[in-house]
Amino acid sequence: MRTTGVVTLLGAVLVTAACSAPRATTPSPIAEPEPLTTTSAPPTTTTTPPPAPPCAVTTGACVSLAQRLAWLLRDGRVVRGPVPAGFGPPDQATPAGSFHVVWKDREHRSGQYGTDMPNSVFFAAGGIAFHAGPLDAPSHGCVHLADADSAAFFDGLNVGDAVQVL
């Protein structure tokens, strides 16, 4: 019996020693990591470019009613935009078509509605203009722009420049 117990004990010691011995293929915790190898290209960041103006205008302004955006163009290049724009409701819709800037008034006040229309650039019959106004409230057919955008359109558009509203 004693012999069997020693053999059993010796076997347990051998098994324990074999399981706890470091393996030759296991890297040392202080060893330098192996360089990573990749077979695919590194990930790329893709950003969607802003929408291009849908109009044929090369110098003037382009307005997309469907996209609720406006662009200011000079010599075929976008100089501002796309910028968010607000429009009139169906019963006072912003007219679609091709127009030209007729006149401008930096501090216009509507005689019909009694409201201020800063940076007004008039382009269609009935007093339709680009001007500063709330983007979340309907206009009376005008194109509302944020304050900074209306100032840029006022400064960038000249009497006679084309305006296309689609």
Side-chain angles (χ1 to χ4, degrees):
M1 281 190 173
R2 275 180 98 76
T3 310
T4 306
V6 172
V7 171
T8 304
L9 179 62
L10 186 56
V13 170
L14 289 175
V15 169
T16 304
C19 292
S20 63
R23 302 183 81 189
T25 58
T26 304
S28 163
I30 57 171
E32 291 294 319
E34 292 184 30
L36 296 175
T37 56
T38 58
T39 56
S40 62
T44 57
T45 304
T46 54
T47 56
T48 304
C55 304
V57 172
T58 58
T59 295
C62 172
V63 177
S64 170
L65 298 169
Q67 294 176 307
R68 301 188 64 79
L69 297 173
W71 294 260
L72 180 61
L73 301 112
R74 182 69 51 204
D75 299 324
R77 293 185 353 196
V78 174
V79 294
R80 184 126 182 154
V83 299
F87 309 111
D91 62 329
Q92 293 181 308
T94 302
S98 294
F99 309 94
H100 288 90
V101 173
V102 180
W103 65 289
K104 299 168 35 170
D105 186 358
R106 175 106 37 210
E107 297 178 19
H108 187 74
R109 182 163 179 85
S110 169
Q112 185 175 1
Y113 300 107
T115 57
D116 290 331
M117 299 169 53
N119 301 315
S120 290
V121 178
F122 294 90
F123 63 87
I128 304 301
F130 292 102
H131 66 84
L135 300 175
D136 59 350
S139 70
H140 295 101
C142 290
V143 178
H144 280 176
L145 300 171
D147 291 340
D149 295 329
S150 72
F153 274 59
F154 186 89
D155 293 338
L157 290 169
N158 298 310
V159 171
D161 281 352
V163 175
Q164 190 172 10
V165 180
L166 301 174

